[in-house]
Amino acid sequence: MTYPQVLKQLRAKANPDDVTGMARFGIHPGKCLGIRIPVLRKLAKEIGKDHGLALKLWASGLHEARILAGMVAETDKTTKGLMEAWTKDFDSWDVCDQVCMNLYEKTPYAYEKAFAWSKRKPEFTKRAGFVLMARLAFTDKTASNAKIAEFFPAIRREAMDERNFVKKAVNWALRQIGKRNKALNKLAIKEAKHLAILDSPSAKWIARDALRELGQIHFQ
């Protein structure tokens, strides 16, 4: 499927009513078409992997085109440079999350970027670091407990960031670590209790939310 054909399909699937709804969730409506994720996933399946197309879709600047780019990009052609360039362009939580889940976490650079981006200042770059941590804790079944536990210092360091999309991603990462197995659950609960005593509304919120979920999990 060619780039013009894909753009034509995207515009045909546009839903102005959904654009209004997206704005309420912090997504800038300027370049949105209002296409829901399941529709984009179906289109991505029809297209298949096409890295050249992904690059063109990203360059378009369209919100949904960028989400679709992450779905059709080829992992083995995704370089560190491309990841840095695309992440620098992140301007919404859903583009950030979808690209991390559909592309970045499958690259050999996922752990490296998770740690690096967690230290960066821009809101959605920092969020990307913690989204990767959350996803790797869930999907990387080969990782040892020790490897996943290396995320805890970053969680502790950034838990006091009061920005909404950062603190929610930090919370997500902590909860996913704690849901991985019994040993990590204990460590995540311990970390949450440490955050609870910090002089930070964000850290306290992360702690309360994580403890509410993690304390109810029972492992075999």
Side-chain angles (χ1 to χ4, degrees):
M1 198 177 295
T2 66
Y3 173 65
Q5 288 172 329
V6 174
L7 276 189
K8 184 177 180 180
Q9 286 215 34
L10 288 174
R11 296 190 186 282
K13 298 175 189 298
N15 186 335
D17 291 338
D18 278 357
V19 172
T20 302
M22 292 164 74
R24 291 197 295 270
F25 290 96
I27 300 171
H28 193 280
K31 292 187 176 181
C32 290
L33 298 172
I35 305 172
R36 298 187 180 186
I37 296 298
V39 177
L40 292 174
R41 287 200 188 103
K42 183 179 179 182
L43 180 56
K45 189 173 181 180
E46 293 172 4
I47 294 170
K49 295 297 182 181
D50 187 331
H51 202 71
L53 175 61
L55 296 176
K56 291 178 181 178
L57 288 169
W58 192 269
S60 75
L62 285 172
H63 185 85
E64 288 82 0
R66 286 186 164 176
I67 293 176
L68 184 61
M71 294 176 176
V72 303
E74 297 172 56
T75 306
D76 61 351
K77 294 181 181 177
T78 301
T79 64
K80 293 182 185 181
L82 182 142
M83 293 170 72
E84 288 289 344
W86 283 16
T87 300
K88 188 177 180 180
D89 286 341
F90 286 167
D91 60 0
S92 68
W93 64 269
D94 61 337
V95 172
C96 170
D97 293 5
Q98 289 296 321
V99 173
C100 285
M101 292 188 290
N102 295 317
L103 180 62
Y104 289 176
E105 72 170 88
K106 300 171 185 176
T107 70
Y109 320 116
Y111 282 90
E112 176 185 338
K113 293 304 180 185
F115 288 113
W117 291 337
S118 74
K119 298 176 182 177
R120 304 273 181 87
K121 181 66 176 176
E123 184 172 13
F124 294 110
T125 301
K126 190 179 293 291
R127 180 182 174 90
F130 288 101
V131 172
L132 282 176
M133 292 181 195
R135 291 296 300 173
L136 290 166
F138 178 68
T139 62
D140 187 0
K141 305 302 182 185
T142 66
S144 66
N145 284 356
K147 186 171 186 178
I148 298 299
E150 289 176 359
F151 293 150
F152 284 130
I155 288 170
R156 186 178 300 187
R157 186 188 67 237
E158 303 300 335
M160 291 185 286
D161 192 319
E162 302 293 336
R163 292 175 294 179
N164 189 49
F165 295 117
V166 172
K167 74 176 184 181
K168 286 187 174 181
V170 174
N171 171 263
W172 184 11
L174 180 58
R175 288 186 293 109
Q176 286 302 121
I177 293 170
K179 289 190 284 185
R180 187 175 172 96
N181 58 47
K182 188 175 182 178
L184 284 171
N185 178 266
K186 289 182 178 180
L187 290 176
I189 288 174
K190 182 179 179 180
E191 186 65 31
K193 288 179 177 178
H194 173 83
L195 298 181
I197 63 174
L198 296 180
D199 185 20
S200 162
S202 175
K204 291 181 185 300
W205 176 86
I206 291 168
R208 284 195 306 271
D209 190 71
L211 288 169
R212 183 165 47 245
E213 180 173 5
L214 298 180
Q216 296 178 4
I217 297 174
H218 300 285
F219 295 92
Q220 297 295 326

